[in-house]
Amino acid sequence: MFTPLRMSGPPLDRRRRRPGALLALAILLVAFTAASLVRSSPAHALTSSGHGVGYLSAADGTSWLGSYRMDDGRLGFCLDVGRLSPVGHSYTTTATSQISGTTAEQTARLAFIARSFAFTPSADDAAAAQLAVWTITGLHGHSQAYYAGRAGGRAAAVVTRANEILRSAAAQASIRAEATVDLRLDDRGVASVQTDIAAVHPDGTRTTVPKGTYSGVLKLLHAKLPNGSSSGSVANGTRIALTADTSASRVAIRADATFTALKIGGQVTVGSSAAGSQRLLYSAGAKGVATAIATASALSPRPFRPRVVTQTSRAQVSPDAELRDRLTVSAAPGEGLLGEWGRYRSGDTTAPIPVTVKSRLLGPFADAVRPSAEWPASAPVVCTVSTAFTDGPGTATTPACRVPETGHYVWVETIEPADTPADRGRDRVEAWRSPFGTASEATFSPSGVSVHTTVADETLEAGGCAVDELDITGLSTGGDSHDGVEVESLLLGPYDAPVADGTDLSDLGAAPVAGTTTTRLAADGSYTTPCLRVSEPGHYVFVFRSAGSAPDASGHREIAPFSDLVAHAPEMLTVAAPEKPTAPPTTPAVVTPPATTPPVATPPVTAPPVTPAVVVPRATRTPRPQPAALAFTGSSSTAGLLALGGLGVSLGALSLGGRALLRRRRARLG
């Protein structure tokens, strides 16, 4: 059954007026939407508030020649003669390096004019600058004199000044600024720096800015300004002395210069109006920036003092034995000295300064030497040998000196600048002299005892027996108060290659020891050491040492300790790898198949019946329809979305109002 609905609301005459109210509401919403769209524009508007500096024509009281003032205080010139006056119109500004309708060179000239005359207080200069701008952008079919007439009695002066400005713009217009740094450093350690700025013109030529026009910031690396700082303010075109850090053998310095707020370049600001009035030219201000970096290098002029750390090759030798000294050379630190080895210039490159170490073996002394800073003036010299260091610091072994007789000996060393060639840095080498009698340089040659050794076999197979033969003389000089001595023979190896003859092997902790054996020597004669089995292939060498005879109650030894821990060719042997035996032919094995056993029957195991599980299907749930997601693409702001929503509401309201008006009209006609 159909039940009619009762309508509630205001009386009919009020309902008849509702379409008009809806229409008014729709109009308001449309107006709000339009206002919202206008407010979402990103433009920032300025308004020309009136004339700036210049001349107003006395003939018509409206024509103007000069600058225009904006409501933010800036002044500018018109670009498009013949268009509407900018006064009272809103403008948006844009920074650019090329104004639409002009070339890059014309824009550079306009930038020079705006930068130089936009804020001039002179009416002649402001009017002339405006006339110069129009001369570049176009005079709209008229002459300069036509527009200069607005200056009245100053017309001729304005034309003359305008052409002067045009000539200056042509000569001084620039597209950018460039900075240069001239950094100098020589091998005497003298350093200086000068920064310059140049304006780059549209044709590519450059003009250096006059000295002292701008100040910039200079930052230094490994150098200092006169005030001791590594950074500071500098004026362009001024040379400044620097102090370079010469503590390293190679001196390298760097300078970074930055200049800002330069009145150079073709950047301008242009104002445009939607009203179609003249575009306005504003000065971009002093926004030019220029940077530059320079480096310089040289050799340090500082001297250096080489020093030597020494180690004698043997602490004890027999007469007629050879003795060497091991030298480790480096640079000694000190006030005003290089902290590293000095270098000299050789053509286009550099090289370490060469030095020569002179080594003297002093002795024999009857008693053990005592350390002293000075050498004994009358000390006997066994020999003098020289060792050259041409590649800088390092380690080397001196040529050998032969010990002539028993006694105590000591090495001393010197380095003299005179031993370095003058053209290779002689004046940079400081002399050095070793102390006397340091323990590492003392050697003792006991009286009477001499040991000569020879390996029994120079070549062995792996598993063979290594034996050394010892020939001893001088034991009898110790008298009958001792029971002989024990000599420990050490077989060092294996080495991958033969040990060089004369190699110092006294650091036994770092050497591979294949085995040791001890031989007791009771009198002069020849002895054979016990066998040392050698299993690993390679190269080996015998050395020996002895504690001498047993000390008496006072600690005195009739036979002093002796040793020879230096590699000698007669003490070297080689162990060869064993040859691999040829394997005999193999006989294939006979495989006997296993005896077969009849299978044993196993009754099957009957499993209990399995009751299948009852699977109850799950009720399928019909998915609830989801409303379609609204998609939005674009880059409008939230204000734009609100505006579009308002526009939709407005259109809906208009539709409702129109339908109501149509029903009302039909009712009247009916």
Side-chain angles (χ1 to χ4, degrees):
M1 181 178 66
F2 175 75
T3 303
L5 297 175
R6 294 183 58 189
M7 296 185 64
S8 61
L12 182 59
D13 57 344
R14 291 180 62 187
R15 290 201 301 268
R16 287 178 178 175
R17 290 197 299 268
R18 180 175 295 173
L22 290 175
L23 183 59
L25 176 61
I27 292 173
L28 288 175
L29 286 173
V30 171
F32 171 78
T33 300
S36 298
L37 290 174
V38 171
R39 284 196 300 270
S40 66
S41 171
H44 300 283
L46 297 174
T47 302
S48 175
S49 59
H51 296 152
V53 180
Y55 293 103
L56 183 65
S57 173
D60 58 14
T62 58
S63 299
W64 173 256
L65 184 63
S67 60
Y68 287 85
R69 190 178 305 277
M70 307 304 293
D71 56 3
D72 66 347
R74 76 178 74 184
L75 296 170
F77 298 111
C78 286
L79 285 170
D80 313 297
V81 66
R83 290 190 184 181
L84 293 174
S85 169
V87 177
H89 296 296
S90 295
Y91 281 81
T92 57
T93 59
T94 304
T96 182
S97 295
Q98 185 165 352
I99 300 172
S100 175
T102 68
T103 65
E105 180 177 0
Q106 289 174 327
T107 299
R109 295 184 183 187
L110 293 171
F112 170 81
I113 295 172
R115 192 164 49 236
S116 303
F117 299 100
F119 291 95
T120 178
S122 168
D124 280 0
D125 282 351
Q130 177 62 84
L131 186 57
V133 169
W134 281 338
T135 303
I136 294 173
T137 60
L139 293 171
H140 199 58
H142 297 287
S143 65
Q144 289 180 324
Y146 172 81
Y147 297 104
R150 300 175 182 180
R154 299 296 299 167
V158 167
V159 170
T160 300
R161 181 62 176 140
N163 289 311
E164 290 176 354
I165 293 174
L166 288 170
R167 287 191 293 271
S168 296
Q172 301 180 45
S174 59
I175 55 176
R176 67 178 182 276
E178 285 187 355
T180 57
V181 175
D182 181 18
L183 184 62
R184 300 178 185 178
L185 175 66
D186 61 24
D187 288 346
R188 298 172 301 163
V190 177
S192 64
V193 66
Q194 178 175 323
T195 58
D196 284 290
I197 304 171
V200 181
H201 303 295
D203 61 358
T205 60
R206 289 164 172 76
T207 299
T208 301
V209 175
K211 174 181 177 180
T213 303
Y214 296 104
S215 292
V217 176
L218 183 69
K219 295 182 179 180
L220 300 172
L221 183 64
H222 301 311
K224 302 290 185 182
L225 291 166
N227 63 1
S229 174
S230 59
S231 64
S233 177
V234 294
N236 69 293
T238 302
R239 181 157 294 279
I240 302 172
L242 304 176
T243 302
D245 180 0
T246 58
S247 59
S249 60
R250 291 187 181 93
V251 182
I253 60 177
R254 168 173 164 159
D256 297 54
T258 302
F259 289 88
T260 58
L262 303 178
K263 295 181 179 180
I264 302 173
Q267 189 83 357
V268 296
T269 302
V270 176
S272 301
S273 174
S277 55
Q278 292 202 55
R279 292 175 298 171
L280 289 174
L281 171 69
Y282 310 107
S283 170
K287 293 186 177 180
V289 176
T291 61
I293 299 173
T295 59
S297 61
L299 293 177
S300 173
R302 290 192 186 189
F304 77 104
R305 181 183 300 140
R307 62 181 174 182
V308 186
V309 176
T310 58
Q311 175 69 57
T312 185
S313 60
R314 301 168 72 175
Q316 183 172 307
V317 295
S318 58
D320 202 35
E322 290 184 343
L323 197 61
R324 296 174 174 84
D325 206 11
R326 186 173 179 83
L327 313 175
T328 300
V329 180
S330 62
E335 185 67 27
L337 298 176
L338 275 180
E340 58 190 43
W341 199 269
R343 302 182 72 84
Y344 73 96
R345 192 169 297 284
S346 176
D348 295 333
T349 185
T350 65
I353 296 175
V355 300
T356 299
V357 179
K358 287 186 177 179
S359 303
R360 297 171 177 86
L361 182 62
L362 306 183
F365 299 96
D367 299 317
V369 295
R370 295 183 178 182
S372 172
E374 299 298 328
W375 306 350
S378 58
V381 179
V382 176
C383 70
T384 300
V385 293
S386 297
T387 307
F389 286 81
T390 59
D391 297 324
T395 300
T397 301
T398 68
C401 282
R402 190 172 297 277
V403 176
E405 55 184 296
T406 61
H408 296 270
Y409 295 84
V410 65
W411 286 103
V412 291
E413 274 82 17
T414 59
I415 296 176
E416 296 293 341
D419 294 327
T420 297
D423 60 347
R424 297 187 180 183
R426 174 188 295 173
D427 59 345
R428 307 253 311 284
V429 179
E430 288 203 349
W432 179 85
R433 182 183 177 94
S434 72
F436 173 80
T438 60
S440 62
E441 290 293 81
T443 298
F444 174 57
S445 176
S447 61
V449 178
S450 177
V451 182
H452 295 278
T453 59
T454 304
V455 68
D457 296 299
E458 296 181 354
T459 304
L460 295 175
E461 291 186 358
C465 191
V467 175
D468 204 16
E469 296 179 352
L470 312 178
D471 289 330
I472 308 298
T473 60
L475 282 180
S476 58
T477 60
D480 298 329
S481 61
H482 66 84
D483 296 328
V485 296
E486 288 187 347
V487 175
E488 182 186 22
S489 299
L490 301 93
L491 182 62
L492 306 183
Y495 295 97
D496 294 335
V499 180
D501 188 24
T503 300
D504 181 8
L505 300 174
S506 58
D507 186 6
L508 296 176
V513 179
T516 63
T517 185
T518 301
T519 306
R520 172 162 285 279
L521 312 177
D524 293 350
S526 297
Y527 297 83
T528 300
T529 65
C531 169
L532 286 175
R533 293 287 177 185
V534 187
S535 59
E536 294 187 42
H539 300 273
Y540 295 80
V541 61
F542 269 112
V543 295
F544 69 85
R545 61 187 175 183
S546 173
S549 60
D552 58 18
S554 64
H556 174 72
R557 297 177 186 266
E558 292 294 332
I559 303 298
F562 57 91
S563 65
D564 189 351
L565 301 177
V566 175
H568 301 288
E571 289 288 80
M572 300 182 188
L573 61 94
T574 301
V575 176
E579 296 183 1
K580 294 183 179 179
T582 304
T586 59
T587 303
V590 179
V591 180
T592 303
T596 58
T597 303
V600 178
T602 302
V605 178
T606 305
V610 178
T611 303
V614 178
V615 179
V616 180
R618 296 175 61 185
T620 59
R621 181 178 298 174
T622 303
R624 180 179 298 174
Q626 299 294 327
L630 294 178
F632 170 74
T633 60
S635 59
S636 300
S637 63
T638 305
L641 290 175
L642 293 174
L644 291 175
L647 182 61
V649 174
S650 302
L651 293 176
L654 285 173
S655 176
L656 291 175
R659 292 173 62 185
L661 288 174
L662 183 60
R663 286 197 303 269
R664 184 176 179 182
R665 181 177 179 83
R666 287 178 178 174
R668 288 179 178 178
L669 292 176

